[in-house]
């Protein structure tokens, strides 16, 4: 208490202040900047940009796009059949994936699962997240054959990876007081889950499910390309037969459906909170 | 009768929070536990229903040893110990009625709990208790739409639904405004005598402790340093409990002397 307070109002007035830099050590800061600059230069100078080939390809691209206009909706029965299958894949996979993700999320939440179960739950999530759906689809097509069943399995796994991970994180952040209250009335593990945990994560789970349905609709078109059923297969065939106008029609419809589903899922997520 | 003997609690390798505490509560007495933050009040209450595991010592409720219970036995014992929290700890997204009925979770089957098909006697008891504390018209409202005082009433009713043999209240009024907190204190006092229920209340507000409880227990550094009626709770007792630490009740007076006293007490 011997030194004077240094914040005397109206005292020295030409003190300045600057926001402290993100990385406080100047050596680290500047060498990091230099490193990034060197890397970018190296990356761009060593990339095999073949300008001649790009110039050659441009007219071909023009031809493809030219052939795609106007889009051809004549084979609408084929179009509808493909989309119907894609919808079925997406809905079933979402339903299955979301239902399975609930127990897996509980297993993978540190605050409600014992250590060995937690590790098992986490590994399940890591496994289902480690490959892109297209790779998973290739595996499942090889395992169960061409068609929508492979697509359903693929997207179910994809849904588990995403929904269970985010739901587990949500469970880890719940208000623990509600859980304590349920413990204090003498509720067992499952009753505590149902009363103390699930109501807290329910809106999030509904939001995630809507988002996942949206995402599965999109992905169902992609996995179809490798033979897992749905509109993706139709699209692939159209490309293969140079039916660019039909392919363009499919793409337009995909865009339209994604827009609509995104709108609906956004609206539902807003309502549910 | 609640009988606590030589209770010790230590978190990890730190200084124990409770150091060999003895406390006996009989009949339907309302006991307040006062003490500065960190004195171990909350740990004491949580050891009783085992939300916190005691390190050593004995806790008996009506002859039943609570410390060594496991699994189903522990849950059966917890049914008989009602608890009210500072933050209410209601299930915000469920209705008031569901919250109240959740006090019966220790008694009903998992199927009944999931489907909300509680026995008629539970529903009757729920309405009766809600009428008693004046929240019956909120039965189908979501719990998070109620005011603080109303929510604490729901929490009290939830605890009473357990048909408890003792009620623990961990700073039940600390998140409420002064008037509402008086209402809750007088409600707890009235319910204790109506239901012949012993009540243990952790409380920061010394004035309310004097006014609404039959007995005051003062704690400091994990030990009981005062035990007596509200009349015996004088300035000396207050100084012994809060000495050197500002009492939340008298912030205005003690805040200036606090820095000086701090040096002396360490």
């Amino acid at each position: 208490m011997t030194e004077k307070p240094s914040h005397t109002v109206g005292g020295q007035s030409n003190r300045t202040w600057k926001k402290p830099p993100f990385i406080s050590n100047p050596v680290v800061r500047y060498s990091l900047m230099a490193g990034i600059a060197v890397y970018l230069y190296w990356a761009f100078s060593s990339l095999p940009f073949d300008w001649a080939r790009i110039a050659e390809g441009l007219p071909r691209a023009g031809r493809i796009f030219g052939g795609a206009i106007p889009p051809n909706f004549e084979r609408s029965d084929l179009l509808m059949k493909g989309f119907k299958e894609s919808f079925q894949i997406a809905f079933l996979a979402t339903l299955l994936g979301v239902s399975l993700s609930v127990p897996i999320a509980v297993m993978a939440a540190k605050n409600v699962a014992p250590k060995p179960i937690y590790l098992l739950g986490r590994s399940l999530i890591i496994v289902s997240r480690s490959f892109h759906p297209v790779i998973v689809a290739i595996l499942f097509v090889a395992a169960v054959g061409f068609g929508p069943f492979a697509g359903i399995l693929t997207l179910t796994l994809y849904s588990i990876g995403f929904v269970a991970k985010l739901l587990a994180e949500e469970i880890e952040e719940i208000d623990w007081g509600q859980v304590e209250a349920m413990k204090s009335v003498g509720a067992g593990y499952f009753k505590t889950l149902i009363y103390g945990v699930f109501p807290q994560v329910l809106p999030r789970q509904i939001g995630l499910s809507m988002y996942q349905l949206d995402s599965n609709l999109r992905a169902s078109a992609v996995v179809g390309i490798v033979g897992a059923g749905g509109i993706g297969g139709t699209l692939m065939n159209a490309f293969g037969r140079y039916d660019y106008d039909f392919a363009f029609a499919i793409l337009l419809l995909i865009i339209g459906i994604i827009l609509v589903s995104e709108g609906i899922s956004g609206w539902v997520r807003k309502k549910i909170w | 009768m609640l009988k606590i003997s030589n209770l010790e609690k230590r978190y990890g390798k730190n200084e124990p929070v409770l150091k060999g505490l003895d406390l006996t509560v009989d009949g339907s007495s309302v006991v307040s536990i006062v003490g500065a933050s960190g004195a171990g009040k909350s740990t004491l209450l949580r050891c009783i229903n085992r939300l916190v595991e005691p390190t050593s010592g004995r806790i008996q409720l009506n002859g039943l040893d609570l410390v060594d219970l496991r699994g189903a036995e522990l849950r059966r014992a917890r049914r008989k110990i009602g608890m009210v929290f500072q933050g209410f700890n209601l299930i915000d997204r469920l209705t008031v009625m569901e919250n109240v009925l959740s006090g019966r979770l220790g008694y009903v089957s998992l199927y009944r709990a999931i489907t909300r098909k509680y026995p008629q006697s539970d529903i009757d008891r729920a309405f009766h208790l809600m009428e008693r504390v004046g929240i019956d018209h909120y039965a189908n409202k979501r719990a998070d739409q109620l005011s603080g005082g109303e929510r604490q009433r729901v929490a009290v009713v939830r605890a009473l639904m357990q048909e408890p043999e003792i009620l623990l209240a961990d700073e039940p009024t600390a998140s409420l405004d002064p008037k509402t907190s008086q209402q809750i204190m007088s409600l707890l006092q009235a319910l204790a005598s109506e239901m012949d229920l012993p009540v243990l209340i952790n409380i920061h507000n010394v004035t309310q402790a004097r006014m609404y409880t039959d007995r005051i227990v003062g704690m400091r550094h994990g030990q009981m340093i005062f035990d007596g009626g509200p009349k015996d709770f004088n300035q000396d007792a207050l100084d012994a409990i809060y000495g050197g630490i500002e009492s939340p009740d008298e912030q205005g007076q003690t805040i200036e002397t606090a820095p000086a006293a701090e040096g002396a007490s360490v």
Side-chain angles (χ1 to χ4, degrees):
Chain A
M1 279 287 164
T2 49
E3 60 185 280
K4 276 187 183 167
S6 59
H7 51 272
T8 327
V9 178
Q12 320 97 302
S13 59
N14 31 11
R15 278 175 294 174
T16 59
W17 182 85
K18 250 167 63 180
K19 182 186 177 303
F22 181 60
I23 299 166
S24 56
N25 184 338
V27 179
V28 175
R29 186 162 73 244
Y30 289 116
S31 48
L32 205 65
M33 284 179 189
I36 290 171
V38 167
Y39 171 75
L40 283 179
Y41 174 75
W42 173 79
F44 276 104
S45 60
S46 66
L47 262 185
F49 279 125
D50 186 343
W51 294 108
R53 276 190 65 181
I54 292 172
E56 229 172 85
L58 277 178
R60 196 166 56 229
R63 240 186 357 265
I64 291 176
F65 287 119
I69 293 170
N72 178 356
F73 288 94
E74 267 163 32
R75 274 177 290 172
S76 58
D77 49 331
L78 201 60
L79 205 59
M80 280 308 126
K81 191 172 153 279
F83 269 109
K84 216 182 106 210
E85 199 168 86
S86 273
F87 273 123
Q88 286 168 333
I89 293 172
F91 276 111
L92 268 173
T94 309
L95 204 67
L96 271 172
V98 164
S99 333
L100 286 172
S101 71
V102 173
I104 293 176
V106 170
M107 289 165 71
K110 214 179 227 153
N111 52 351
V112 296
K115 195 70 188 271
I117 302 285
Y118 166 75
L119 291 176
L120 177 63
R122 279 283 149 185
S123 355
L124 280 174
I125 289 176
I126 289 169
V127 166
S128 42
R129 277 176 67 81
S130 46
F131 295 112
H132 190 275
V134 170
I135 297 173
V136 179
I138 292 170
L139 291 177
F140 275 126
V141 167
V144 302
F146 284 97
F149 186 52
I152 291 170
L153 290 180
T154 303
L155 294 185
T156 301
L157 203 67
Y158 174 52
S159 307
I160 289 173
F162 182 78
V163 177
K165 181 181 158 70
L166 290 185
L167 190 63
E169 274 161 19
E170 189 73 9
I171 292 175
E172 283 174 354
E173 278 164 24
I174 56 168
D175 164 22
W176 195 245
Q178 299 181 26
V179 174
E180 276 198 326
M182 290 302 99
K183 281 187 177 175
S184 79
V185 302
Y189 183 79
F190 288 104
K191 288 177 194 165
T192 305
L193 272 187
I194 285 156
Y195 278 73
V197 178
F198 288 162
Q200 294 193 58
V201 299
L202 184 65
R204 177 80 171 150
Q205 172 67 349
I206 293 172
L208 281 174
S209 308
M210 290 305 295
Y211 179 84
Q212 191 57 39
L213 178 60
D214 195 15
S215 174
N216 279 349
L217 270 177
R218 219 172 304 212
S220 70
V222 179
V223 297
I225 293 176
V226 295
I231 192 69
T234 322
L235 182 65
M236 208 52 200
N237 285 336
F239 270 122
R241 287 195 307 256
Y242 306 106
D243 286 340
Y244 294 131
D245 51 352
F246 185 45
F248 190 45
I250 295 172
L251 289 178
L252 281 181
L253 216 56
I254 291 177
I255 293 172
I257 284 166
I258 295 299
L259 279 180
V260 170
S261 84
E262 201 156 277
I264 294 174
S265 90
W267 180 77
V268 170
R269 272 182 284 162
K270 216 182 328 190
K271 281 275 156 188
I272 214 79
W273 221 256
Chain B
M1 188 176 84
L2 177 76
K3 196 170 184 314
I4 298 173
S5 39
N6 202 20
L7 183 66
E8 191 184 296
K9 172 64 191 176
R10 140 198 323 266
Y11 292 98
K13 285 193 171 4
N14 298 321
E15 175 87 345
V17 180
L18 297 175
K19 302 169 188 161
L21 193 116
D22 297 301
L23 177 68
T24 303
V25 180
D26 333 87
S28 61
S29 55
V30 181
V31 180
S32 56
I33 304 169
V34 297
S37 304
K41 307 187 300 280
S42 214
T43 304
L44 170 61
L45 282 200
R46 277 153 195 269
C47 279
I48 296 172
N49 66 1
R50 297 270 303 279
L51 287 180
V52 164
E53 289 299 327
T55 308
S56 66
R58 272 161 74 87
I59 304 173
Q60 283 184 313
L61 179 63
N62 297 330
L64 179 67
D65 254 307
L66 298 176
V67 174
D68 299 319
L69 297 179
R70 310 230 146 269
E73 282 177 335
L74 174 61
R75 292 198 294 276
R76 251 198 307 280
R78 276 178 176 160
R79 301 196 301 208
K80 293 294 177 191
I81 307 171
M83 188 162 192
V84 177
F85 302 83
Q86 174 180 346
F88 322 130
N89 291 359
L90 299 180
I91 314 301
D92 283 334
R93 289 206 172 85
L94 298 186
T95 61
V96 167
M97 190 49 141
E98 283 170 301
N99 270 285
V100 166
L101 288 171
S102 73
R104 301 297 295 173
L105 280 181
Y107 295 89
V108 301
S109 66
L110 183 62
Y111 170 75
R112 279 183 186 273
I114 293 172
T115 56
R116 315 295 200 254
K117 287 195 172 93
Y118 286 83
Q120 187 59 42
S121 56
D122 289 356
I123 292 165
D124 291 340
R125 184 177 167 81
F127 274 119
H128 171 74
L129 287 169
M130 288 199 289
E131 273 163 26
R132 167 62 188 84
V133 305
I135 54 166
D136 49 311
H137 53 293
Y138 290 138
N140 284 330
K141 261 202 156 178
R142 246 170 72 151
D144 55 5
Q145 291 175 329
L146 271 55
S147 71
E150 289 160 350
R151 299 175 81 190
Q152 195 58 296
R153 280 163 207 266
V154 176
V156 169
V157 170
R158 174 174 69 189
L160 294 176
M161 284 299 286
Q162 294 171 238
E163 297 177 66
E165 290 168 9
I166 189 169
L167 188 61
L168 312 174
D170 191 8
E171 292 179 25
T173 62
S175 334
L176 302 173
D177 65 70
K179 183 148 183 289
T180 316
S181 83
Q182 281 179 10
Q183 289 170 350
I184 293 291
M185 286 302 286
S186 82
L187 179 69
L188 288 174
Q189 186 187 31
L191 289 170
S193 73
E194 280 168 37
M195 307 194 150
D196 205 16
L197 187 70
V199 182
L200 242 64
I201 308 178
N202 277 349
I203 188 163
H204 271 306
N205 187 321
V206 175
T207 319
Q208 285 183 0
R210 279 207 191 99
M211 205 164 13
Y212 295 105
T213 63
D214 312 320
R215 178 179 161 198
I216 298 178
V217 170
M219 283 180 67
R220 180 162 190 177
H221 301 320
Q223 278 165 328
M224 201 160 91
I225 57 165
F226 177 87
D227 186 0
K231 286 199 184 63
D232 311 321
F233 193 73
N234 50 23
Q235 190 61 41
D236 289 344
L238 203 62
D239 286 343
I241 293 165
Y242 291 106
I245 317 161
E246 55 182 270
S247 146
D249 233 4
E250 298 163 305
Q251 270 176 4
Q253 297 160 30
T254 50
I255 200 153
E256 284 150 16
T257 58
E262 212 167 54
S265 69
V266 172

